[in-house]
Amino acid sequence: MWKDSESNIDYIDFEYIADLVNEIVLDDNLLPASIGVYGDWGSGKSSIMSISQESLKKIDENILIINFNAWLFEDYGDAKNTVINCILDQIELRIKDEASLKTKFQNLRRSINLVDITMSLIKNSSTIISSIINPLNIVELVNNTSPDIVGTIDQIKDSYEKITSHESLRNDIAKFRDEFGQLIEDSKITRVVIYVDEMDRCLPDTILEIFEAMRLFLFNGRVAFVFGADERQISYAIRQKYTDSIFETEHKINIGKEYLEKIIQYPIRIPTMTAPETE
């Protein structure tokens, strides 16, 4: 029995696949980009991504390479926030000696915190509203309080609705994307490449959260995500999440396949090895 771990030595002449990944990563005209390295379990996805990284380091030492094992972090809270903070932590570590970027990075952290808070407020809006004003006591509250207090309550409600509006959330997300792109532009980092492995071992919710995190970074800046996964497993997991979707039930559309084709811009499939190659 052999150890199930990746290798950065190309034993089976798959280096051309790693070169194809790097060709996309190094082309500014194609960035930001999402790349899928697809193959069956044990087909060499992790090794190809390792070879890709070793090659990129030799080409440009200013590339920031980030590794994220999706399965390893699955049981440690919100996968989306884990991915986002993992990326930001690595960027902060890389630019720590660039004093001029410290304020810009702090603003970036503040922007993502606003997005996180707003999304949490929207998700828990009914609970929060009921905790501020108990609907059972609203008549008594209005009858037995001064107009000033009632006005204050109205202001709280208005402020809350403004903060949790979808327009506010869109503005926060747009601000984060702009600041992220500008920070990379102003730093010595030539591009950021995030390798996400073991996604096909994760639960459907985790997979979708990782894709949501990715979308935050794919609108501005020199960024590439490289996913190593069994395409069929990811597609199946997404279908399980949207099993009652009208597209599945009425239109007979494979929502998993369609979703994956939209989210992954450049699918690269590892060919099945021949018997001599396997041996």
Side-chain angles (χ1 to χ4, degrees):
M1 183 67 69
W2 289 342
K3 183 181 177 183
D4 181 20
S5 60
E6 69 276 4
S7 169
N8 56 18
I9 301 174
D10 186 17
Y11 290 107
I12 49 178
D13 293 329
F14 274 178
E15 187 175 0
Y16 73 93
I17 301 176
D19 289 343
L20 183 55
V21 171
N22 292 352
E23 188 175 331
I24 298 169
V25 168
L26 294 170
D27 190 338
D28 287 346
N29 294 319
L30 299 180
L31 298 182
S34 57
I35 306 165
V37 179
Y38 295 146
D40 300 342
W41 283 350
S43 62
K45 299 182 295 294
S46 298
S47 294
I48 287 171
M49 292 196 292
S50 179
I51 294 168
S52 165
Q53 293 177 44
E54 290 300 315
S55 179
L56 285 177
K57 290 174 185 176
K58 294 175 183 177
I59 294 171
D60 185 355
E61 62 181 13
N62 290 320
I63 293 177
L64 175 58
I65 293 173
I66 301 172
N67 280 289
F68 185 82
N69 187 312
W71 189 44
L72 184 65
F73 288 95
E74 184 170 32
D75 295 328
Y76 294 90
D78 185 347
K80 180 171 67 177
N81 282 334
T82 304
V83 173
I84 293 170
N85 285 305
C86 177
I87 294 171
L88 295 183
D89 288 346
Q90 292 297 315
I91 291 174
E92 183 177 23
L93 192 62
R94 177 63 72 89
I95 66 171
K96 64 180 181 180
D97 296 327
E98 300 180 52
S100 61
L101 299 178
K102 189 172 294 185
T103 301
K104 292 183 179 180
F105 184 81
Q106 290 172 348
N107 291 336
L108 187 66
R109 283 280 195 192
R110 195 174 296 113
S111 294
I112 197 58
N113 287 339
L114 281 174
V115 171
D116 189 34
I117 291 170
T118 303
M119 293 183 73
S120 296
L121 288 172
I122 291 173
K123 189 181 295 184
N124 301 290
S125 58
S126 58
T127 304
I128 295 170
I129 286 291
S130 63
S131 67
I132 295 174
I133 304 171
N134 188 336
L136 297 176
N137 297 327
I138 189 66
V139 175
E140 182 181 351
L141 183 68
V142 172
N143 290 336
N144 294 286
T145 55
S146 68
D148 290 340
I149 295 177
V150 175
T152 302
I153 292 172
D154 288 338
Q155 289 176 9
I156 293 173
K157 289 175 65 179
D158 290 343
S159 297
Y160 179 82
E161 289 171 359
K162 183 177 180 180
I163 291 171
T164 58
S165 69
H166 289 291
E167 181 182 359
S168 174
L169 180 59
R170 287 196 301 271
N171 291 338
D172 291 340
I173 291 174
K175 183 179 180 182
F176 172 81
R177 287 169 173 163
D178 289 342
E179 289 178 347
F180 176 78
Q182 191 60 52
L183 180 69
I184 300 302
E185 189 73 31
D186 295 341
S187 71
K188 296 177 182 177
I189 300 171
T190 52
R191 64 203 68 240
V192 181
V193 189
I194 304 100
Y195 291 84
V196 184
D197 203 3
E198 306 283 14
M199 275 190 71
D200 43 18
R201 295 176 184 254
C202 296
L203 297 171
D205 284 341
T206 302
I207 292 171
L208 291 171
E209 284 180 8
I210 292 173
F211 282 146
E212 285 179 18
M214 177 197 74
R215 292 199 332 248
L216 268 177
F217 297 93
L218 282 188
F219 286 84
N220 204 350
R222 299 185 297 273
V223 183
F225 279 80
V226 183
F227 295 94
D230 185 331
E231 181 181 14
R232 298 166 303 176
Q233 294 290 336
I234 299 294
S235 178
Y236 176 76
I238 295 170
R239 286 190 68 185
Q240 293 301 106
K241 180 67 176 178
Y242 296 108
T243 186
D244 297 325
S245 167
I246 187 173
F247 296 103
E248 285 276 354
T249 56
E250 295 186 16
H251 300 297
K252 307 300 180 184
I253 293 175
N254 186 336
I255 193 70
K257 182 174 180 292
E258 296 287 337
Y259 183 97
L260 203 53
E261 287 179 354
K262 294 293 184 184
I263 206 77
I264 301 296
Q265 298 167 304
Y266 305 101
I268 299 173
R269 295 177 176 86
I270 302 172
T272 303
M273 289 190 292
T274 63
E277 285 174 333
T278 305
E279 186 177 347

